[in-house]
Amino acid sequence: MQIKDLTKKYNGNPVVDSVDLEIPKGKVISFIGPNGAGKSTVMGMISRLIARDSGLVAFDGTDIEKWKSKELSKRLAILTQSNNIQMKLTVRELVAFGRFPYSGNRTTKEDEEIIQQAIAYMELEEFQDRFIDELSGGQRQRALIAMVIAQDTDYVLLDEPTNNLDIYHATNMMKIVRRLCDELGKTIILVLHEINYAAFYSDYICAFVDGKVAKFGTVKEVMTKETLSEIYKVDFEILEIEGKPLSIYY
């Protein structure tokens, strides 16, 4: 996926300003940066949920705007920050929505097998007949990820997947993200506020400031005292745990 000169303005003010970025395939890439840096807006334009003002998002060599929605949804899945489900759905019914781009409302035997595999992968078998509104926050997040797995796309976009989760469930969510990449070969793009999750579970980090790319590179290239202090305007120290840089700030 290539992003070139991507721009978005609201009321004449640029919130994303001439962003150039190439997303490496089969890796976990985290977008970090302070509030209002443009992370979620870039994510929205990559997924076509937000219209761009100018620039290009090329997906498999073709402008993403030229993809038919049905075909794009077989290649790219997104979970936004707000996934308030109003319908009375069981876990299995929710996961089945992942097969909609392939079979519509009439699931095939193959679809049913894929749905069950996704439920099993997320260890939700004992909850599959339970209604979504009866689940804990962590269980609900796992059900949403199971739906994405059932959608069977190469790219998975997650906008703040750890938001509103406690440390235990947030850590488990990041372990799941890592597994999706390592075991299923997905390219994962995340928006994260917790930079140590980005450091520990990502392959690459893209840091945004004022709608622009401030730094893009491997975790070790971005997670430096100088870079983080410049981006967040606070003092940082970098520690290393299991060969990975983690930050403390003060």
Side-chain angles (χ1 to χ4, degrees):
M1 181 184 289
Q2 290 188 324
I3 301 165
K4 294 183 179 179
D5 199 26
L6 197 62
T7 301
K8 182 67 179 179
K9 295 180 180 180
Y10 290 119
N11 299 319
N13 299 312
V15 292
V16 173
D17 190 0
S18 302
V19 166
D20 291 319
L21 192 60
E22 185 164 348
I23 303 295
K25 198 167 185 179
K27 302 294 182 180
V28 177
I29 304 97
S30 289
F31 291 175
I32 66 169
N35 289 338
K39 307 179 296 294
S40 292
T41 305
V42 170
M43 177 81 82
M45 288 189 284
I46 290 173
S47 62
R48 291 202 320 196
L49 293 179
I50 297 175
R52 66 189 184 228
D53 289 339
S54 62
L56 173 71
V57 178
F59 187 67
D60 282 355
T62 302
D63 187 339
I64 201 166
E65 295 295 337
K66 295 181 179 179
W67 281 79
K68 293 182 178 179
S69 295
K70 184 176 180 179
E71 292 306 311
L72 184 63
S73 62
K74 294 178 182 178
R75 300 290 195 90
L76 184 150
I78 181 168
L79 287 179
T80 61
Q81 293 182 49
S82 55
N83 291 293
N84 297 321
I85 300 166
Q86 304 298 327
M87 300 170 64
K88 193 73 171 177
L89 295 172
T90 65
V91 168
R92 187 176 185 84
E93 289 169 338
L94 175 67
V95 176
F97 276 116
R99 301 307 299 166
F100 188 84
Y102 302 88
S103 305
N105 292 320
R106 297 184 178 182
T107 55
T108 65
K109 182 179 179 181
E110 181 184 4
D111 292 325
E112 293 296 332
E113 290 174 354
I114 292 172
I115 291 164
Q116 194 58 46
Q117 289 169 2
I119 289 170
Y121 190 83
M122 295 308 301
E123 299 178 355
L124 288 165
E125 293 101 325
E126 65 178 300
F127 305 113
Q128 63 182 309
D129 296 320
R130 191 177 297 181
F131 289 110
I132 295 296
D133 59 6
E134 297 173 355
L135 302 181
S136 68
Q139 291 165 346
R140 194 177 300 115
Q141 286 282 63
R142 282 160 54 199
L144 289 165
I145 295 293
M147 178 181 68
V148 167
I149 293 172
Q151 194 172 333
D152 194 24
T153 59
D154 295 328
Y155 287 76
V156 176
L157 280 56
L158 304 173
D159 194 356
E160 297 193 37
T162 61
N163 196 28
N164 297 322
L165 296 181
D166 60 28
I167 293 174
Y168 173 80
H169 288 104
T171 302
N172 280 345
M173 178 55 60
M174 292 307 300
K175 289 178 180 178
I176 290 166
V177 166
R178 193 67 252 178
R179 287 174 58 206
L180 291 178
C181 178
D182 295 340
E183 297 176 4
L184 301 183
K186 309 293 186 185
T187 301
I188 314 289
I189 306 172
L190 304 159
V191 171
L192 288 175
H193 276 292
E194 179 45 72
I195 56 177
N196 282 334
Y197 280 145
F200 201 79
Y201 293 101
S202 304
D203 298 300
Y204 294 87
I205 294 177
C206 184
F208 290 88
V209 175
D210 296 330
K212 297 182 179 181
V213 175
K215 184 77 172 180
F216 175 72
T218 65
V219 169
K220 287 191 174 183
E221 288 171 339
V222 178
M223 290 289 293
T224 67
K225 175 181 178 178
E226 295 75 19
T227 296
L228 295 181
S229 296
E230 183 177 348
I231 290 168
Y232 290 98
K233 309 303 181 187
V234 296
D235 292 323
F236 277 84
E237 294 294 340
I238 303 298
L239 308 175
E240 195 164 288
I241 299 177
E242 296 183 15
K244 297 184 179 181
L246 298 178
S247 67
I248 56 173
Y249 47 89
Y250 51 92

